[in-house]
Amino acid sequence: MREWSLSERLIVAARGMNERGINVNKSGNVSVRVERDGRPGFLVTPTGVPYASLTPEDLVWMPLDAASVEDREGRLLPSSEWSLHRAVYAARPDVGAVVHTHSAYATALACRNERIPAFHYMVAVAGGSSIDVVPYATFGTELLGERTAEALREKNACLLEHHGVVALGPTPEKALDLAAEVENLARQYVIVRGLGTPRLLSDEEMAVVIEKFRTYGKQPSRDGEETR
């Protein structure tokens, strides 16, 4: 897909974080995997720019082998979390987009270092039987990127301790949907805990659900290939 189209979709996803109520003001960031001249890399939102005013020219391209912001292509500086995005793309070649938010309920759990366990089968939408917490590291550091990438090697979402949420997807739209789902699950979990000790699904049942999710939401296309 051409880069201009991906840029527009990235901006729509960035604005969608605030529109869906899972982010506030200029916090959070979004990226999409994009090659330039055969060189792997990604487009990421710039730091400090309101999403409502973003244009494709404002987005910053970072190569996967970037050592610093000086390696960027673009007139603006990238998000302070660009190295987190780079680490995730390097560890997960199957991922096409990354969304990072500071959504309220999920971040509240992250600040208490509490994961989202298997209280509801939809927890499996993130690729496992729980949505775990990445140990704290200062924002924008290589260490935070390394810890996040390690936590997401086999899952598609995690909480960042004292920070927020990271969600992955094949497209910006899918990554945004997952970030919204994580926040919804976090809110539900907080409500359930207020009613008493949560009852959890077994590992065996979650394994069944995870397997079912491999084809969840797919429809056959006219040429016989499955589509989402």
Side-chain angles (χ1 to χ4, degrees), residues 82 89 94 107 117 128 199 212 218 221:
W82 69 269
Y89 287 124
D94 59 312
T107 300
R199 298 171 59 241
K212 289 175 70 68
K218 292 183 178 180
S221 65

Side-chain angles (χ1 to χ4, degrees), residues 117-135:
F119 79 102
H120 192 289
Y121 77 87
M122 280 297 289
V123 167
V125 75
S129 58
S130 63
I131 300 173
D132 301 322
V133 183
V134 174

Side-chain angles (χ1 to χ4, degrees), residues 15 45 56 89 98 131 173 222 225 227:
R15 293 172 179 167
T45 48
Y89 287 124
V98 178
I131 300 173
E173 296 87 355
R222 292 180 179 179
E225 294 182 357
T227 60

